[in-house]
Amino acid sequence: MTVAYPRKFKNSLGAREILRQVVSDREIHLITLNRYRYSEQRSCKDLTSVIEALDGRCPELLKDLSHHVSDEARHAMWLTDLLVELGAAVGKPPGISYVDKFEELLDTQAKNVEKNLDDVLISTIAAINVTEKRGCEYFSAHIYALKQAPQTPENVKIRETIERIFPEEAGHVRWGNRWLAQIADKSPSHRQQVEQAKRKYAAIEQAAFESGMDITLGAELRRVEKLLDVAKTMPLWERPQYLMEHLPQALVAPELQMSRVNIAQRAWNRDPKAFMERFVPMFLNLNTNSAKANKKPN
Ligand SMILES: [Fe+2]
Ligand SMILES: [Fe+2]
């Protein structure tokens, strides 16, 4: 069976490298923890929507999902307690939200739960599964980074909180794998559907993840490439509608512009000299490089 693991960002920055830098800067560290808090809290709402949509069908799954909501609520509670104790912000995190981006990229074709229960189960569980895998990858890298970092009381507290959450997230990944394997065992066509859903949601998740990190110039074009990657995992007849729905957002991307402004302001406020020396050239170089790349003959 396909095992779709999250890929590295632009095949270069791994989770461990990113987290090493995050942990070394208190402001970014606290923003990252608040992003985790936000995602955990939001997943309670999303899982509850799935429970409501199922409306009593598949009681075994409903039971599991209600336990899942309780786990995610506990994670959000632990992270909120931690952030409040550290005096950090607990509002909506700045910049592009991974969760919002993921939802925006989901295939919005309404599926009739009554007629296509298996369809709905497969896509729902595959979508949950791929985001849980990303969570595990980041939590494990975060714990690793905190073990290498100075053992301040604050860092120790943060590590202990993430160490409590991580095994439960790994349990959620195993839970999703079990359900998908059970559905795939029903028939060859179920197996095919499960494999296709895994590829599709892995591509959607990758696109959502990268758009949250990719704020450099040229990001809009790379987002279109990602949309094409997602479309390629779908049957031919579903592709045009998906692209028509999502292309305008990828190209205009107002939240991308806001993120750029937000990050530029943050960098400027912290260190104007470094901003001019490092931040500005970083954008300009990327722009020149992508212009050069675009000029290359095929
Ligand atoms: Fe969680
Ligand atoms: Fe989870």
Side-chain angles (χ1 to χ4, degrees), residues 105-109 111 195-197 199-201 203-204 226-246:
L105 288 164
L106 290 178
D107 191 358
T108 50
Q109 277 175 331
K111 283 189 176 138
E195 296 298 318
Q196 199 237 334
R199 282 193 296 274
K200 175 173 155 187
Y201 290 101
I204 289 177
K226 288 288 144 199
L227 275 186
L228 294 174
D229 285 347
V230 174
K232 276 184 213 154
T233 69
M234 298 178 168
L236 278 175
W237 62 91
E238 286 180 11
R239 292 179 191 182
Q241 196 193 340
Y242 182 80
L243 288 173
M244 287 305 290
E245 263 177 38
H246 295 91

Side-chain angles (χ1 to χ4, degrees), residues 38-83:
Y38 181 77
S39 302
E40 300 282 8
Q41 198 69 76
R42 171 65 85 85
S43 60
C44 298
K45 196 158 99 176
D46 293 344
L47 290 165
T48 302
S49 303
V50 176
I51 292 174
E52 286 178 4
L54 286 173
D55 196 13
R57 295 172 198 92
C58 207
E60 273 308 301
L61 179 65
L62 281 182
K63 193 181 97 182
D64 284 358
L65 288 172
S66 73
H67 289 218
H68 205 140
V69 175
S70 146
D71 290 350
E72 304 300 6
R74 199 168 48 247
H75 302 164
M77 176 185 82
W78 286 334
L79 287 161
T80 311
D81 285 353
L82 173 76
L83 286 161

Side-chain angles (χ1 to χ4, degrees), residues 31-294:
I31 290 176
T32 304
L33 291 169
N34 189 33
R35 279 187 197 284
Y36 294 163
R37 178 203 63 81
Y38 181 77
S39 302
E40 300 282 8
Q41 198 69 76
R42 171 65 85 85
S43 60
C44 298
K45 196 158 99 176
D46 293 344
L47 290 165
T48 302
S49 303
V50 176
I51 292 174
E52 286 178 4
L54 286 173
D55 196 13
R57 295 172 198 92
C58 207
E60 273 308 301
L61 179 65
L62 281 182
K63 193 181 97 182
D64 284 358
L65 288 172
S66 73
H67 289 218
H68 205 140
V69 175
S70 146
D71 290 350
E72 304 300 6
R74 199 168 48 247
H75 302 164
M77 176 185 82
W78 286 334
L79 287 161
T80 311
D81 285 353
L82 173 76
L83 286 161
V84 172
E85 197 186 324
L86 300 179
V90 283
K92 193 172 191 290
I96 295 168
S97 149
Y98 164 79
V99 196
D100 290 342
K101 204 70 216 163
F102 185 72
E103 282 179 7
E104 185 190 298
L105 288 164
L106 290 178
D107 191 358
T108 50
Q109 277 175 331
K111 283 189 176 138
N112 186 329
V113 185
E114 247 163 82
K115 279 191 193 152
N116 304 309
L117 182 61
D118 281 348
D119 241 35
V120 173
L121 295 187
I122 291 170
S123 43
T124 306
I125 300 170
I128 294 173
N129 194 237
V130 73
T131 56
E132 298 278 1
K133 278 180 185 163
R134 179 72 73 185
C136 279
E137 186 198 12
Y138 269 70
F139 285 145
S140 125
H142 204 145
I143 293 169
Y144 179 85
L146 281 166
K147 282 184 178 162
Q148 315 299 311
Q151 298 303 296
T152 60
E154 181 169 297
N155 277 348
V156 171
K157 229 175 249 168
I158 296 172
R159 179 170 51 77
E160 284 171 353
T161 305
I162 300 174
E163 278 174 342
R164 257 182 288 161
I165 301 175
F166 176 62
E168 298 197 351
E169 299 298 3
H172 293 161
V173 172
R174 287 194 298 273
W175 168 83
N177 290 343
R178 262 197 320 273
W179 267 94
L180 290 173
Q182 261 175 37
I183 300 174
D185 282 343
K186 282 188 176 179
S187 75
S189 84
H190 279 87
R191 180 165 306 277
Q192 202 187 0
Q193 243 181 306
V194 167
E195 296 298 318
Q196 199 237 334
K198 282 184 182 179
R199 282 193 296 274
K200 175 173 155 187
Y201 290 101
I204 289 177
E205 194 278 338
Q206 187 69 27
F209 172 70
E210 291 195 4
S211 65
M213 314 219 15
D214 193 357
I215 49 124
T216 51
L217 294 172
E220 288 88 345
L221 292 177
R222 284 187 290 277
R223 283 181 172 198
V224 173
E225 282 170 28
K226 288 288 144 199
L227 275 186
L228 294 174
D229 285 347
V230 174
K232 276 184 213 154
T233 69
M234 298 178 168
L236 278 175
W237 62 91
E238 286 180 11
R239 292 179 191 182
Q241 196 193 340
Y242 182 80
L243 288 173
M244 287 305 290
E245 263 177 38
H246 295 91
L247 269 177
Q249 280 158 328
L251 286 170
V252 182
E255 90 288 3
L256 180 62
Q257 311 301 346
M258 279 314 294
S259 275
R260 281 184 185 141
V261 173
N262 196 299
I263 287 175
Q265 274 173 349
R266 214 171 267 279
W268 170 261
N269 288 339
R270 275 169 42 170
D271 189 348
K273 189 164 170 278
F275 178 80
M276 293 312 288
E277 282 171 2
R278 292 205 299 271
F279 200 75
V280 174
M282 182 181 99
F283 271 73
L284 294 177
N285 284 343
L286 281 160
N287 193 28
T288 328
N289 289 344
S290 62
K292 273 186 205 153
N294 288 340

